[in-house]
Amino acid sequence: MSAVQRRPVTVIDYGIGNLLNVVRALQHCGADVSVVDSALQVSELPERLVLPGVGAFADGMAELKARGFDDLVKRYAQTERPFLGICVGAQMLFDVGEEFGDHAGLGLIPGRVMPVASTGLTGKAHRIPHIGWSALEQPAARSSWKNTILSEVAPGEPMYFVHSFSPVPESEEHRLADTYYNGLRICAAVSRGSIYGCQFHPERSASHGLSILSSFLEL
């Protein structure tokens, strides 16, 4: 993407995530990035919005509310402009997160954020959190990733995960991609209209991850 085609992107900073890798990756893919740490800094709804995050679901929601971002994100979602949540930013799109008790999310995608099971499909214990590279697979309800943020990704390509919880959408139609951890099915990416969420970190997933961010910029 040439410099004259740079896409404006607003990244939400709510104080609990390291934004540097996300910002650098977006810039590498051709984004003109603005970082905001309060909804008061946003006079007009942006063309593209990114919500990264690490840490606990409840802490993230508390900071979003304290800075006015919860209302901003909900209003933004109604515009049908491209939105991307990453890691905890993807989890907060859901109705409820179960980390340290039930906590209300943004309610943009029906479902809950639940613990990753401590055993694989055979019942053998495995490490929690789930850390490392895992392949993306198309759910049975998805015949294609065309016209989504995964349009340049082939099934089987690995992405980098670090998480103890993952979203469980109520509807299969909102599962964009899965991954498997010792046979355990984990929701890796979600979508509802122009709203997208990645449980993995595209900014840490080498060229495959950068292709996802590039596709997001092209939506």
Side-chain angles (χ1 to χ4, degrees):
M1 186 181 296
S2 65
V4 296
Q5 295 176 308
R6 299 187 76 81
R7 306 285 201 250
V9 177
T10 297
V11 176
I12 293 176
D13 176 7
Y14 52 106
I16 69 167
N18 179 7
L19 304 185
L20 185 59
N21 287 339
V22 174
V23 170
R24 284 179 173 173
L26 286 166
Q27 290 172 334
H28 177 82
C29 293
D32 180 10
V33 180
S34 299
V35 178
V36 293
D37 60 15
S38 168
L40 296 176
Q41 295 176 287
V42 184
S43 57
E44 297 182 359
L45 292 178
E47 290 188 23
R48 293 171 186 81
L49 191 61
V50 176
L51 178 63
V54 297
F57 184 103
D59 292 343
M61 284 302 305
E63 285 297 327
L64 283 187
K65 292 176 181 178
R67 298 167 187 247
F69 284 130
D70 57 332
D71 179 64
L72 174 69
V73 170
K74 291 175 182 178
R75 287 189 292 114
Y76 182 85
Q78 297 175 353
T79 69
E80 300 185 355
R81 298 175 188 175
F83 178 94
L84 176 63
I86 298 173
C87 196
V88 174
Q91 294 178 4
M92 292 188 295
L93 299 175
F94 285 78
D95 295 321
V96 177
E98 297 184 1
E99 191 171 6
F100 304 118
D102 283 3
H103 301 277
L106 294 166
L108 299 178
I109 299 179
R112 301 176 69 88
V113 178
M114 303 174 68
V116 176
S118 60
T119 60
L121 194 62
T122 64
K124 183 178 179 180
H126 53 207
R127 183 176 60 180
I128 299 295
H130 169 221
I131 300 177
W133 295 83
S134 291
L136 294 190
E137 303 294 348
Q138 285 183 355
R142 290 270 179 179
S143 60
S144 170
W145 285 330
K146 185 178 180 180
N147 299 323
T148 75
I149 60 170
L150 302 183
S151 60
E152 299 300 316
V153 176
E157 288 182 340
M159 302 294 166
Y160 188 75
F161 290 78
V162 184
H163 65 119
S164 300
F165 288 75
S166 63
V168 181
E170 285 185 5
S171 173
E172 284 290 316
E173 70 176 309
H174 296 144
R175 291 182 87 111
L176 181 60
D178 289 327
T179 195
Y180 289 86
Y181 185 29
N182 292 328
L184 178 69
R185 185 192 188 202
I186 294 173
C187 183
V190 295
S191 67
R192 185 181 187 186
S194 59
I195 300 170
Y196 291 91
C198 297
Q199 179 57 69
F200 57 91
H201 288 270
E203 77 281 6
R204 299 176 64 183
S205 297
S207 59
H208 300 319
L210 292 177
S211 77
I212 292 172
L213 297 179
S214 293
S215 293
F216 171 73
L217 295 179
E218 294 295 333
L219 292 176

